[in-house]
Amino acid sequence: IMLALRTRLTPLYARGFATAAETKKPAADKAYKVVVIGGGPGGLSVSSTVSKLLGQSQVAVIEPSKVHYYQPLWTYVGGGLKSFSESERPMGELISPQADWIQNKVTKVNAEENTVTLADGKRIGYDYLVVAAGIQVNWDNIKGLKNALGKNGVTSNYSADSVQKTWQFIQEFKGGNALFTFPATPPKCPGAPTKITFLAEEAFRNLGVREKTNVIYNHAGAKIFGVDHYGKVLQRLADERGIQTNYFHELIEIKADDKEAIFRNNQTKDVKTFNYDMIHVAPPCGPPAFIKESNIGDAAGWVDVNKETTRHNKYSNIFALGDCSSLPTSKTAAAITAESGVLKHNLIADLEGKTVEPAKYDGYTSCPLIVGRKQLILAEFSGYTGTPMETFPVDQRQISSTAQFLNKEIIPEIYWRELLAGNWTGPSKYREAMAPFRGKYD
Ligand code: FAD
């Protein structure tokens, strides 16, 4: 089948796009049929499929990092349930052998001339561009945080450098104030800050220090989880477990020498100081700066794509998926599974010169809400409507050890073997097959 597809596609990519074997031009003059920015799950899920389809050196993946991280595992790493090494693999082993890896950083997309500029000034041309550069973590937006991170009880699961400190600080905790935060800007995996709060609270019980500990969750938003179907269960659990939740509390400064965290109440604008003995920070996040500078972003700076087709609203040969896109769903690897299926359908139709009904993304995303070492609530919903989109014919709001096993042991395998290889586009087929056995959502 692949051979047949390649044969069919040959006339397309032969038009001015010679293979690497035929050309020995310097990288600055290189052009590809498809250029993919980013080697995260978004970029790899697309580049793996499309490079197999187009053949050798027709697709370039521009990615500066030597290492690929499976970030969803970091909650388990911070909670002492997985080792950090299980979350990392060499990038070179994951990029499809048919694609060229340009180990560099894009500084600008020149959409009018179909090129991207790299950090070393070289330019790479494209027929089609897929932007999958992820989200930017803005550590500097909280005064004092960057210098404090990883030391004296200050940690975050959002960084490869500090995630292992989370479990260390939890284990070393002797009682006092354990603070957890949620930022004012939507972070990647909005459930992650809540999950580590629950895991730490349980660990304090197991370590015998819970009685002398205040577990305080200072959240910049209005509620614990955006989708009430699951959020109500989470809030009840937090209350039952004595987790103190304070809303509209935005972390603005860490005074590491005094072990003080300063919060601003986003409603009253009052500023309040909390003493901490340990603090887990979910940092503010935003779009990568080069998107805005390239004029391919929306007003907020995310790559401005159609929310159904993933195609750019101005430049029809540009697509985007994942955390850097404007797709208004919660930013997760789970969302990328479905987004990538849609994007590939629409991009491949273009590459084949076919006019077909475009595939449409429905906002599917999932947040595996870990609430204990053997406890998980498998939230699956449309980020567009808030409607549950559950795979299994059970009420997934129930705490489940099976769902925890699925998320901790099975889904990582699906991620490494199938999603990154371009073979997994989410559980929609299973959801449809199970539909007759599922009750109505209330
Ligand atoms: P990324 O994975 O961030 O990849 C982007 C890539 O682009 C990076 O490799 C980067 O080096 C590269 N890049 C950046 N800028 C440039 C540039 N200028 N030029 C070239 N390359 C560039 N998701 C879930 O589904 N379930 C979970 O349980 C879950 N838990 C999480 C827990 C934590 C603690 C964290 C941090 C994340 C979690 N996520 C979870 C979110 C998930 O990891 C992200 O949504 C996902 O990785 C986004 O993929 P992406 O490809 O869009 O971006």
Side-chain angles (χ1 to χ4, degrees), residues 37-43 62-65 67 69 71-75 91 104-107 132-135 157-158 188-189 192 195 288 290 321-324 331-336 366 368 407 415:
I37 305 177
I62 306 177
E63 165 60 63
S65 175
V67 185
Y69 294 111
Q71 299 167 56
L73 216 67
W74 288 353
T75 299
M91 190 65 75
N104 211 318
K105 199 172 171 172
V106 170
T107 54
I135 206 166
N157 286 352
Y158 278 80
K188 48 183 156 185
C189 193
K195 301 182 214 181
F290 80 88
L321 79 168
D323 292 358
C324 72
K331 297 184 181 300
T332 64
I336 286 171
S366 167
N407 190 52
Y415 179 93

Side-chain angles (χ1 to χ4, degrees), residues 67-116:
V67 185
H68 176 108
Y69 294 111
Y70 177 45
Q71 299 167 56
L73 216 67
W74 288 353
T75 299
Y76 290 117
V77 176
L81 291 159
K82 286 279 182 188
S83 67
F84 180 70
S85 60
E86 288 174 88
S87 74
E88 52 179 355
R89 298 249 170 115
M91 190 65 75
E93 287 177 12
L94 300 171
I95 293 176
S96 157
Q98 280 91 357
D100 285 2
W101 176 16
I102 299 174
Q103 199 184 346
N104 211 318
K105 199 172 171 172
V106 170
T107 54
K108 193 154 186 247
V109 175
N110 314 297
E112 299 291 345
E113 60 176 52
N114 295 334
T115 66
V116 298

Side-chain angles (χ1 to χ4, degrees), residues 173-410:
F173 195 73
K174 299 281 183 281
N177 284 349
L179 276 186
F180 298 84
T181 75
F182 188 102
T185 51
K188 48 183 156 185
C189 193
T194 309
K195 301 182 214 181
I196 192 59
T197 312
F198 276 99
L199 279 175
E201 192 279 331
E202 186 193 53
F204 297 147
R205 272 186 274 141
N206 293 340
L207 292 164
V209 296
R210 183 66 183 93
E211 302 272 282
K212 40 184 180 171
T213 301
N214 299 311
V215 180
I216 302 166
Y217 189 17
N218 281 353
H219 195 298
K223 47 188 169 180
I224 198 160
F225 196 70
V227 178
D228 287 342
H229 186 73
Y230 304 102
K232 283 182 185 164
V233 184
L234 274 186
Q235 186 62 57
R236 179 174 50 75
L237 282 175
D239 295 342
E240 282 170 9
R241 295 182 189 184
I243 296 171
Q244 184 189 321
T245 47
N246 300 314
Y247 294 105
F248 304 111
H249 279 51
E250 181 186 356
L251 178 67
I252 53 171
E253 184 177 355
I254 295 232
K255 291 184 176 169
D257 291 342
D258 302 322
K259 291 202 151 191
E260 286 178 354
I262 320 292
F263 291 83
R264 183 178 46 224
N265 185 309
N266 282 333
Q267 282 192 312
T268 63
K269 305 292 174 210
D270 288 347
V271 172
K272 196 173 165 189
T273 300
F274 286 71
N275 297 311
Y276 65 80
D277 296 282
M278 123 162 223
I279 181 168
H280 176 276
V281 179
C285 297
F290 80 88
I291 293 171
K292 196 171 187 183
E293 285 153 20
S294 306
N295 290 324
I296 56 167
D298 65 6
W302 308 105
V303 185
D304 184 19
V305 291
N306 179 288
K307 70 182 240 194
E308 290 183 331
T309 63
T310 75
R311 191 191 291 276
H312 198 274
N313 282 321
K314 183 171 174 200
Y315 300 102
S316 63
N317 62 340
I318 298 182
F319 292 81
L321 79 168
D323 292 358
C324 72
S325 73
S326 65
L327 298 168
T329 191
S330 62
K331 297 184 181 300
T332 64
I336 286 171
T337 64
E339 292 166 9
S340 66
V342 170
L343 190 156
K344 287 189 278 192
H345 176 98
N346 297 338
L347 171 60
I348 289 169
D350 276 20
L351 289 166
E352 293 178 335
K354 286 183 184 161
T355 309
V356 293
E357 186 63 28
K360 291 180 178 172
Y361 175 51
D362 51 18
Y364 171 81
T365 188
S366 167
C367 206
L369 297 163
I370 302 159
V371 292
R373 303 180 85 72
K374 295 193 173 156
Q375 299 185 328
L376 187 141
I377 293 165
L378 185 53
E380 287 181 287
F381 54 94
S382 165
Y384 291 176
T385 59
T387 315
M389 295 176 77
E390 298 184 341
T391 304
F392 301 101
V394 293
D395 184 346
Q396 289 183 201
R397 286 172 299 183
Q398 303 295 324
I399 291 176
S400 163
S401 58
T402 310
Q404 174 73 313
F405 180 79
L406 176 76
N407 190 52
K408 189 162 149 277
E409 309 299 343
I410 310 289

Side-chain angles (χ1 to χ4, degrees), residues 18-31 56-57 100:
T19 64
E22 293 160 353
T23 59
K24 287 288 173 215
K25 289 181 190 165
D29 300 324
K30 266 206 151 164
Q56 198 62 42
S57 296
D100 285 2

